[in-house]
Amino acid sequence: MLKTTEQRLTAIRQWLKDKDIDALLVPHEDEYLGEYVPAHNERLHWLTGFTGSAGAAVITKDQAAIFVDGRYTVQVTKQVSADHFEYRHLVEEPALEWVKSHLPKGSRLAIDPRMHSASWLGMAQEQLADTLELKILDTNPIDELWHDRPEPIISTVRLMPADAVGQTCESKRLQIAELIKKQGADSVVITALDSICWLLNIRGLDVSRLPVLLSHVILHADSSLEYFLDPTRLPQDFHSHVGPNVTIHHPESLQSRIEALTSKQVILDPATSNAWFKLVLQNTGANIVHCADPCLMPKAAKNATEVAGMRACHIRDGVAMAKFLSWLDEQVSSGHLHNEATLADKLESFRYQDPTIQDLSFDTISAAGPNAAMCHYNHENQPTPGQLEMDSLYLVDSGGQYIDGTTDITRTIAIGQPSDEMIKQFTLVLKGHINVARAKFPKSTRGYQIDTLARQHLWAEGYDYDHGTGHGVGHFLNVHEGPASISKRQIDVPLTTGMVLSNEPGYYRADAFGIRIENLELVVESKTNGDFSVLGFESLTRCPIDKRNINFDMLTDTELDWLNEYHQKVWHDVSQHVEGDVKEWLRQATDNVIR
């Protein structure tokens, strides 16, 4: 059994020698290309010890390097030995650039095509042309060497009835089949796990924090569907649930069924599908139609039933947050300054008082003081969790997966008396948050056109934040859902009625403090006196924003009105579900501010 990093590197290098290959590229991603990777597919972690959510490693016969982005430059030094790996920046020096500069012309770089997107493969082939040979592997050497590999999680398949999701599987198949025809295609290979679960009205827990099942789908233009999942996992009423013309195939038959698409026009999303599918389709003579997964936009635009579920679960999530924040204030006032792990566990315990919760929607970011300056901080990756200190800020970013929706909320809490600088920066962030929440915009508006509203007050003072302002959120599905977002990236996807996006501007001062204010926003049609209807946002999140962090003199009357109105909605919806000290805390936290 290969227990140490050195032993594993030695084994990989022996494999390179045996196969006459010069280097192996190991990305963080697995064959499903999802944001979260199940334990049995954590190949990069097995090789290096790195637990971050993005990265890659390259192993040559005498060198090795690990590539991470700015979120993990500190973490990687604590988890990965400098004796074995060079530390490189994933953006400033991508892995392929490093390989080109460290290997002679004509060297062979091995990749497992299942671990890379189809679009990445095309880019790599172009970038390495005339310099290196890209060796496409049939099997992954780590899978052969990982003898104590964890068993996959085999979760229960949950059938979501139409009255819980608003549309039957059969009607969704017919809807997507029409989109297939509009592209002039015969079939689509669907690989995004949330698209599959949305289409079939099913959920699972095969991946921590994601209510999905590790599976694949081929949907045809006549609305017939081939589903690739071990048939023994399916409940007896699965076929009546999904309707006619759905066949079940064992995952082992996936390649043969893909190869049966010979000469067909097949849609394949180059961003969400792994390169293996592209290669198999090309080899079998299919004509690939490169376009987005046709489930993305229908899934993102929630129907009335899904919207009702999102509203309801946010009220229950607000109850858990109120219980936690009132408890936290009481603990601080009595001199109990807990560590980040204790706080995260306590918040989770309040969420789990609701019987409808199925999982957290992501690992809680519980960040005290200067740790909050790392916007994707995880206390579980630290040798010792940080401790609350008086006269500082505590940032908690968390959420839940409920049977009727998904939540994601960030609050920045005053621990004692925050400094004037903390209050100023918090207020600038709040002004940006309110700008987005109050925005009115015409149909066809893209998220990047709204992003400026969140940053303008920070920009005016010479500040910014290095992450997007908002991401899509699924309905009891992925907490990070495409295709729309609010960010500087010019993503050409319009915001449409029914989409749910986060609104989370922030500010981060290294080694000092971090601030983020996040609500989820529903895109709704807004009444106007003009000649055309416009869109706007309805805040779904129900939790007070800490007034102790606000300089009210910096708020306009309109911004103050928004804050008071928002807090009255929080009080109205949450107060009827809490009592005693929690209710009194909530009353004070949501009382109107009067100049």
Side-chain angles (χ1 to χ4, degrees), residues 432-440 503 519 521 536-539 562:
H433 178 96
I434 294 172
N435 274 3
V436 173
R438 295 187 62 252
K440 298 289 185 285
N503 171 9
N519 283 357
E521 311 280 358
F537 291 120
E538 173 194 324
S539 297
W562 180 92

Side-chain angles (χ1 to χ4, degrees), residues 98-393:
W98 185 91
V99 171
K100 287 169 65 176
S101 65
H102 283 73
L103 292 180
K105 187 175 181 179
S107 296
R108 306 177 79 202
L109 171 66
I111 66 159
D112 182 341
R114 293 172 176 84
M115 311 297 123
H116 302 275
S117 69
S119 59
W120 181 92
L121 178 61
M123 177 274 296
Q125 289 172 328
E126 181 178 342
Q127 189 172 336
L128 298 179
D130 302 322
T131 58
L132 300 178
E133 178 186 347
L134 206 57
K135 172 65 176 175
I136 306 297
L137 300 176
D138 294 323
T139 59
N140 193 304
I142 290 178
D143 295 350
E144 300 171 11
L145 297 169
W146 193 354
H147 303 302
D148 57 346
R149 186 176 182 179
E151 290 296 320
I153 295 174
I154 307 298
S155 65
T156 301
V157 177
R158 176 190 289 271
L159 305 182
M160 302 291 289
D163 59 5
V165 294
Q167 189 178 2
T168 66
C169 168
E170 187 174 2
S171 67
K172 287 181 179 179
R173 287 190 283 118
L174 289 167
Q175 177 186 2
I176 303 304
E178 288 302 311
L179 298 178
I180 295 172
K181 294 174 187 175
K182 285 184 179 180
Q183 293 291 340
D186 301 298
S187 307
V188 58
V189 177
I190 302 176
T191 62
L193 300 179
D194 59 332
S195 289
I196 292 168
C197 287
W198 173 84
L199 182 62
L200 291 171
N201 287 344
I202 56 177
R203 302 291 190 272
L205 291 171
D206 285 6
V207 183
S208 176
R209 313 313 191 203
L210 297 181
V212 297
L213 297 150
L214 299 178
S215 54
H216 293 98
V217 154
I218 302 174
L219 178 65
H220 303 287
D222 62 359
S223 83
S224 64
L225 182 145
E226 300 178 55
Y227 185 41
F228 297 86
L229 185 76
D230 184 346
T232 62
R233 297 184 60 184
L234 296 173
Q236 289 186 345
D237 51 350
F238 176 80
H239 285 285
S240 60
H241 170 76
V242 296
N245 302 317
V246 175
T247 55
I248 312 302
H249 302 270
H250 196 280
E252 292 178 357
S253 66
L254 178 62
Q255 181 166 345
S256 64
R257 296 306 304 159
I258 296 290
E259 290 172 342
L261 298 173
T262 301
S263 302
K264 300 292 186 181
Q265 302 284 332
V266 182
I267 294 173
L268 191 68
D269 187 331
T272 63
S273 64
N274 72 54
W276 177 86
F277 287 98
K278 176 181 179 179
L279 295 171
V280 173
L281 286 168
Q282 286 177 337
N283 291 339
T284 200
N287 298 307
I288 300 175
V289 180
H290 294 289
C291 67
D293 175 347
C295 296
L296 292 183
M297 288 296 284
K299 172 169 57 66
K302 298 351 178 232
N303 60 42
T305 301
E306 293 170 322
V307 167
M310 292 293 273
R311 288 183 175 131
C313 75
H314 275 85
I315 293 174
R316 301 196 306 276
D317 200 68
V319 170
M321 287 297 300
K323 290 178 178 178
F324 170 71
L325 293 177
S326 63
W327 170 85
L328 175 59
D329 275 2
E330 183 277 326
Q331 291 290 296
V332 172
S333 64
S334 61
H336 296 104
L337 300 178
H338 297 288
N339 68 36
E340 297 160 339
T342 298
L343 296 171
D345 291 344
K346 189 67 176 181
L347 175 53
E348 182 174 354
S349 72
F350 282 124
R351 276 203 169 92
Y352 270 88
Q353 290 178 7
D354 184 337
T356 68
I357 194 168
Q358 304 301 301
D359 196 358
L360 301 183
S361 53
F362 54 96
D363 292 338
T364 298
I365 298 173
S366 175
N371 289 338
M374 296 178 277
C375 59
H376 291 273
Y377 174 78
N378 188 334
H379 64 273
E380 294 182 352
N381 294 330
Q382 308 305 313
T384 305
Q387 195 87 17
L388 290 182
E389 295 182 0
M390 291 302 295
D391 303 332
S392 68
L393 296 175

Side-chain angles (χ1 to χ4, degrees), residues 431-456:
K431 288 168 75 71
H433 178 96
I434 294 172
N435 274 3
V436 173
R438 295 187 62 252
K440 298 289 185 285
F441 45 94
K443 295 177 181 179
S444 80
T445 297
R446 272 59 174 165
Y448 62 83
Q449 296 172 293
I450 292 173
D451 183 73
T452 302
L453 299 176
R455 301 177 192 267
Q456 67 181 84

